[in-house]
Amino acid sequence: ARVPLHHATYAHLRETFNLPSQLAISVISKAVEALKSAKTRLKNGKNASCPQSKHCPIRYDARSYTLSFAKQTVSFLTIDGRLKIKFSIPEYYEQYLDWEHRSADLVIQNGKVYLHVVLQTEVVNPSKSGQVFGIDRGVKKLAVVSNNRFFSGSRIKEVSNKIQALRSNLQSVGSRSAKRHLAALRGKEQRFRKDVNHCVSKQIVDSLPAGSTIVLEKLSGIRDRCNFGKKVRSQIHRWNFFQLETFLTYKAFGNGIDVVHVDPRNTSRTCSKCGHCSKSNRKSQCKFKCEVCDYSLNADLNASRNIRNKHLAAICCNDGAELSTSLLLSV
């Protein structure tokens, strides 16, 4: 799709908007990404509308911007030539300044201008320790690791319900003051959830030895595959399981830990001790008791162990040996 779109729009972009050639190419690349996303949704049987954006970030690459962390200056290609400006770096990100910088997106948010820079470094995998850890993700418990570590989602639920109730009340009032308050609330819940996911993923990765393997379920499409009640459906649609997976993945690779995925089917119904699978094994949301061997434990912990066991069975190995992976880590 890229080549036909390039031929159809490149000259128009250059003449109508006076865009430099490299920026015109970046615009086309962004459009192709949006179209691919829509076509993928249609291919998977989902609804998709024509992609639109009121504030689309500007994509810059090595030919259209020059970045100097030492001088804290950046030079942009614009329709009026090169523009050189100063920028500040948050203290936390100073640890990444020796990484190689790649493309960047220029974003305007709440009247402020941000440059989202992709940084890249090589990761050297240590020798494999043979240890495998399954992780079950959920709404009530954000993550449960097969080594008996639990990360509750109660705080997220509490804050989310509070923000939702406040937003509903303000919307019903409809005054100018209420609208200003609503504007201040915009994105607050998402930022809180993102911070919690960062903290949880960091705690999990820091607790595991280098050379081990994390096993996750493939949860893509779970919102479409499963039927939920109205109350649960609202929580499921705000569940940031993929964000937690993304944070876990890049933090794990940075620590020399592999991440693999398994099929999620029956992980909550199967006994991690004897392997018996039955819906009646799941006594409640948090309790699991096998109807054959009477093995009983927390349902999410049992699921995490099944996730681990599925991976071990897939590689036909009882000690958890895993293949090494060579990759590049991006932040």
Side-chain angles (χ1 to χ4, degrees):
R2 181 184 299 272
V3 175
L5 186 62
H6 179 94
H7 290 312
T9 61
Y10 179 77
H12 174 72
L13 290 171
R14 295 273 282 146
E15 296 172 4
T16 306
F17 300 101
N18 195 29
L19 285 179
S21 59
Q22 198 58 38
L23 292 185
I25 292 173
S26 294
V27 169
I28 295 169
S29 297
K30 295 283 288 186
V32 169
E33 291 172 6
L35 289 171
K36 281 185 177 179
S37 176
K39 290 178 69 175
T40 300
R41 287 185 60 85
L42 292 173
K43 186 177 180 180
N44 294 334
K46 301 179 182 178
N47 294 328
S49 58
C50 179
Q52 296 181 6
S53 177
K54 292 182 180 179
H55 303 287
C56 184
I58 303 172
R59 173 72 51 79
Y60 286 94
D61 58 20
R63 297 180 180 87
S64 54
Y65 91 113
T66 304
L67 183 67
S68 172
F69 287 127
K71 298 179 180 179
Q72 294 195 9
T73 59
V74 60
S75 172
F76 294 112
L77 180 61
T78 72
I79 59 175
D80 296 321
R82 283 274 175 172
L83 178 64
K84 188 174 183 179
I85 60 174
K86 298 279 291 183
F87 64 86
S88 60
I89 304 172
E91 182 179 351
Y92 174 81
Y93 294 103
E94 292 179 356
Q95 60 184 305
Y96 303 115
L97 298 188
D98 58 342
W99 290 22
E100 179 186 1
H101 62 270
R102 310 291 289 182
S103 64
D105 281 358
L106 190 67
V107 180
I108 300 176
Q109 185 176 353
N110 298 328
K112 295 183 179 180
V113 180
Y114 299 90
L115 185 65
H116 295 175
V117 183
V118 176
L119 301 175
Q120 180 174 283
T121 189
E122 291 188 4
V123 176
V124 179
N125 283 335
S127 57
K128 298 305 168 185
S129 65
Q131 299 184 64
V132 178
F133 301 90
I135 298 180
D136 179 64
R137 289 165 289 165
V139 177
K140 296 192 70 173
K141 291 183 178 63
L142 292 182
V144 177
V145 190
S146 57
N147 62 355
N148 301 340
R149 295 205 66 184
F150 292 79
F151 297 88
S152 175
S154 59
R155 179 58 179 162
I156 279 187
K157 183 178 180 181
E158 177 186 341
V159 172
S160 178
N161 289 341
K162 181 178 178 180
I163 293 176
Q164 291 295 325
L166 178 58
R167 182 179 290 114
S168 179
N169 290 336
L170 291 171
Q171 288 172 341
S172 63
V173 172
S175 64
R176 292 180 63 183
S177 176
K179 291 178 180 178
R180 285 197 299 268
H181 201 161
L182 278 170
L185 283 177
R186 189 179 299 122
K188 185 173 183 179
E189 181 182 352
Q190 288 78 8
R191 291 192 297 272
F192 176 75
R193 287 175 177 269
K194 184 177 182 179
D195 179 67
V196 172
N197 282 334
H198 265 303
C199 294
V200 169
S201 58
K202 179 174 175 56
Q203 290 178 51
I204 292 175
V205 170
D206 288 347
S207 69
L208 304 181
S212 58
T213 300
I214 289 175
V215 188
L216 301 173
E217 295 173 293
K218 296 178 183 177
L219 294 180
S220 56
I222 188 173
R223 295 184 177 95
D224 301 319
R225 293 197 307 268
C226 303
N227 295 321
F228 304 99
K230 183 176 180 181
K231 185 177 181 180
V232 177
R233 187 163 60 246
S234 174
Q235 296 177 0
I236 292 295
H237 279 279
R238 299 200 303 272
W239 179 28
N240 304 84
F241 66 86
F242 184 70
Q243 186 182 77
L244 177 59
E245 178 180 323
T246 302
F247 293 166
L248 268 172
T249 301
Y250 87 77
K251 286 179 170 63
F253 287 155
N255 283 28
I257 299 172
D258 278 341
V259 178
V260 297
H261 296 81
V262 297
D263 192 323
R265 283 178 290 187
N266 296 323
T267 54
S268 62
R269 298 178 178 181
T270 303
C271 176
S272 59
K273 184 176 182 180
C274 73
H276 173 68
C277 179
S278 173
K279 187 176 181 179
S280 59
N281 283 346
R282 187 74 179 261
K283 302 303 180 182
S284 65
Q285 175 66 31
C286 62
K287 185 178 180 181
F288 180 94
K289 185 176 182 180
C290 180
E291 61 183 4
V292 173
C293 68
D294 288 333
Y295 183 60
S296 178
L297 77 168
N298 179 273
D300 296 319
L301 180 59
N302 176 74
S304 69
R305 293 179 179 178
N306 282 326
I307 293 168
R308 175 198 61 193
N309 294 343
K310 272 196 172 188
H311 172 66
L312 295 178
I315 61 174
C316 302
C317 179
N318 294 321
D319 60 4
E322 174 59 25
L323 298 175
S324 62
T325 305
S326 174
L327 50 87
L328 292 175
L329 171 63
S330 296
V331 173

